[in-house]
Amino acid sequence: ALEKKCRMGNDTLNLVKLCEHALGIARSMGAGVDDLIELINTLCTRRSQKSRAVSAVVSVAMPWTEEYVDEGEKLKLVVALRNVTDGKIFLEAERARLTLVLAKMKEEAGDVSAAADVLQEVHVETYGALSKKEKIEYLLEQMRVTLAKGDYIRAAIVSNKINRKALSEEGMEEHKVRFFTLMTEYHQYEKDAYNLALDYHSIYTTNHDLTALQAAIIYVSLSPYDMDQQQMMNRLIIDENVTAADSSKLELQPHKWIIQALLKKEMITYPTPYQAELESHQALQQGKEHWHDIFFTRLIQHNIRVAASYYRRIHGSRLAELLGLDMNRLEEEVSTMVSDGSVYAKIDRPKDIIRFSAPKSAEAVLTDWSNDISELLSLVDATTHLINKEVMTSQAIS
């Protein structure tokens, strides 16, 4: 009767105190979880119940979820509180926290799939009551569980909801490392070497872990050749820890060597001097055979690009001998590189000739000739001027 009087009289302050006191008395008298749930539902489902009173009931009951030892009773209370918060905007933060507790309980029980489904019910990125840090923590937990479930597509969708700029803010270092560590798991599944390099480099720039730097160097070496890959390699080669590889950072010597070798226009023999050290890195242990094959392929492609920069045409058998390949593998790699635009090449099988120079149109040939003649005339003019200068100087002296 007193609760009804306060509720109908809009005495919100006393109503909140009354609800809190009622729950406190029930708890102190040792009421069972079923009785507590019945009391919570009774207080929250009253006609014209005030939102502040419902919030107070949920706030008082939430800490009890950590106090129950019996998992069955704890589960009942968490589910009951989630039902109370369902559809109430003013309790969205509490619903998110309760959902997180429920997901952890299901995961501990071995039902990872159910835990992932529960977490996906809450679109925490739309909640205004949660802080930026809490939202990121929830989304990271969503990523972790969906990856554990093996739902990589959902994990990629969740990762796009996390603001990278927010991760770069002060005090978010731990969350940034955790995020990019989860992203390495996703990109490892996708076999995306370049993005793996970016992930490990982000971890390295955050916590200065040399193991992450080593992984970044290895994966950028395994990435397909393009402008982004070359820019990243040039950034890594001037890193202070990489430049110190020959003196204080001896563990980085193999990684410095592979970057320098790939940036030079020189052929690389296989296996490399540091092959075992590079392939034994812990970051390559998942899918080791795949990355071993990719390593060999990237070195072959590098050597073909070097050959294309020095030769206009070359016998296929000679190029295969230089690269240590059979003709079938050589043709396969050249064809792949032509398809992705890495090099220009045409293979004349009857004559066993590979041409790396693209044919020029008549206009292009004429333009090159005109440029060469202009350069020659400029050199002749400069030479004539210098000769005249020397003659005039000699005459003045004499």
Side-chain angles (χ1 to χ4, degrees):
L2 184 58
E3 183 272 338
K4 181 178 180 181
K5 183 177 180 181
C6 293
R7 176 162 41 87
M8 294 304 181
N10 291 325
D11 188 358
T12 307
L13 185 61
N14 287 322
L15 177 62
V16 168
K17 291 180 180 179
L18 184 62
C19 291
E20 292 176 346
H21 192 60
L23 286 172
I25 292 174
R27 179 66 172 167
S28 62
M29 292 180 65
V33 67
D34 293 328
D35 295 331
L36 288 174
I37 290 173
E38 184 180 354
L39 178 59
I40 290 170
N41 289 331
T42 301
L43 291 174
C44 293
T45 56
R46 294 284 192 184
R47 184 170 64 89
S48 302
Q49 185 61 283
K50 309 303 178 188
S51 59
R52 286 181 60 185
V54 177
S55 298
V57 169
V58 174
S59 299
V60 170
M62 277 187 65
W64 298 344
T65 59
E66 302 297 328
E67 297 175 6
Y68 281 103
V69 178
D70 184 84
E71 291 296 319
E73 294 182 344
K74 182 177 179 180
L75 180 62
K76 285 182 180 180
L77 183 58
V78 170
V79 170
L81 290 174
R82 285 187 78 243
N83 292 336
V84 170
T85 59
D86 188 22
K88 297 178 175 63
I89 296 177
F90 57 91
L91 288 175
E92 59 186 12
E94 287 77 4
R95 179 169 178 78
R97 297 183 186 115
L98 288 166
T99 301
L100 199 58
V101 172
L102 181 60
K104 287 180 179 178
M105 292 178 64
K106 290 186 177 295
E107 186 180 10
E108 290 171 359
D111 195 350
V112 178
S113 179
D117 293 339
V118 167
L119 285 173
Q120 290 168 24
E121 293 176 4
V122 178
H123 302 284
V124 72
E125 66 277 4
T126 64
Y127 286 9
L130 289 173
S131 66
K132 186 187 301 182
K133 190 172 184 178
E134 282 185 298
K135 287 182 182 180
I136 291 176
E137 287 175 350
Y138 191 93
L139 291 171
L140 287 174
E141 189 65 16
Q142 273 189 328
M143 277 187 67
R144 185 189 66 78
V145 176
T146 50
L147 286 171
K149 179 185 176 182
D151 189 352
Y152 292 96
I153 295 175
R154 177 68 62 180
I157 294 172
V158 174
S159 70
N160 291 329
K161 296 178 182 179
I162 298 178
N163 190 338
R164 271 51 166 191
K165 290 183 179 179
L167 290 173
S168 300
E169 295 177 1
E170 187 177 354
M172 301 293 288
E173 291 80 8
E174 182 181 347
H175 297 80
K176 183 177 180 181
V177 171
R178 186 182 171 197
F179 170 73
F180 282 107
T181 302
L182 292 171
M183 290 303 296
T184 60
E185 187 176 343
Y186 169 72
H187 289 132
Q188 187 70 246
Y189 168 78
E190 293 288 323
K191 299 294 188 291
D192 189 339
Y194 181 69
N195 277 310
L196 278 166
L198 293 177
D199 295 337
Y200 280 111
H201 188 255
S202 297
I203 294 172
Y204 164 68
T205 55
T206 304
N207 61 9
H208 306 291
D209 181 10
L210 291 184
T211 304
L213 175 60
Q214 291 172 341
I217 293 173
I218 291 172
Y219 278 116
V220 77
S221 302
L222 296 173
S223 303
Y225 178 86
D226 59 19
M227 189 63 68
D228 292 334
Q229 185 239 19
Q230 290 294 296
Q231 288 178 351
M232 186 172 183
M233 291 181 74
N234 282 293
R235 285 202 312 271
L236 288 171
I237 197 64
I238 60 175
D239 185 274
E240 59 181 8
N241 286 317
V242 177
T243 54
D246 297 326
S247 55
S248 59
K249 306 291 184 182
L250 298 179
E251 64 269 33
L252 290 172
Q253 278 186 345
H255 309 84
K256 181 180 180 180
W257 181 89
I258 190 63
I259 290 186
Q260 289 177 331
L262 289 171
L263 289 174
K264 291 178 183 177
K265 287 191 175 182
E266 297 178 5
M267 289 191 177
I268 305 172
T269 58
Y270 185 87
T272 66
Y274 296 104
Q275 191 73 30
E277 291 88 335
L278 293 171
E279 291 192 359
S280 62
H281 194 277
Q282 63 184 30
L284 293 181
Q285 298 315 299
Q286 183 179 350
K288 188 173 183 178
E289 291 299 322
H290 168 78
W291 295 121
H292 172 79
D293 295 339
I294 290 294
F295 206 133
F296 185 42
T297 301
R298 296 295 177 245
L299 293 183
I300 293 173
Q301 292 174 349
H302 168 80
N303 292 340
I304 291 174
R305 283 193 298 272
V306 172
S309 66
Y310 288 112
Y311 292 94
R312 293 174 60 187
R313 62 180 188 170
I314 186 174
H315 284 285
S317 57
R318 174 57 179 160
L319 182 57
E321 181 185 351
L322 289 172
L323 302 185
L325 302 172
D326 58 69
M327 282 301 298
N328 290 333
R329 182 62 187 271
L330 176 62
E331 288 186 7
E332 179 186 342
E333 292 300 334
V334 171
S335 300
T336 301
M337 295 178 72
V338 169
S339 298
D340 61 28
S342 299
V343 296
Y344 173 89
K346 282 193 174 181
I347 301 175
D348 188 342
R349 275 185 171 177
K351 295 182 179 179
D352 188 29
I353 292 176
I354 300 177
R355 291 182 174 83
F356 289 115
S357 58
K360 295 182 180 180
S361 63
E363 292 82 1
V365 173
L366 183 60
T367 300
D368 290 343
W369 177 84
S370 176
N371 292 335
D372 291 341
I373 293 297
S374 298
E375 186 178 354
L376 175 62
L377 293 176
S378 298
L379 290 173
V380 170
D381 185 52
T383 304
T384 303
H385 173 72
L386 291 174
I387 292 172
N388 290 333
K389 181 179 177 182
E390 289 297 325
V391 170
M392 292 175 66
T393 303
S394 177
Q395 290 175 352
I397 293 174
S398 62

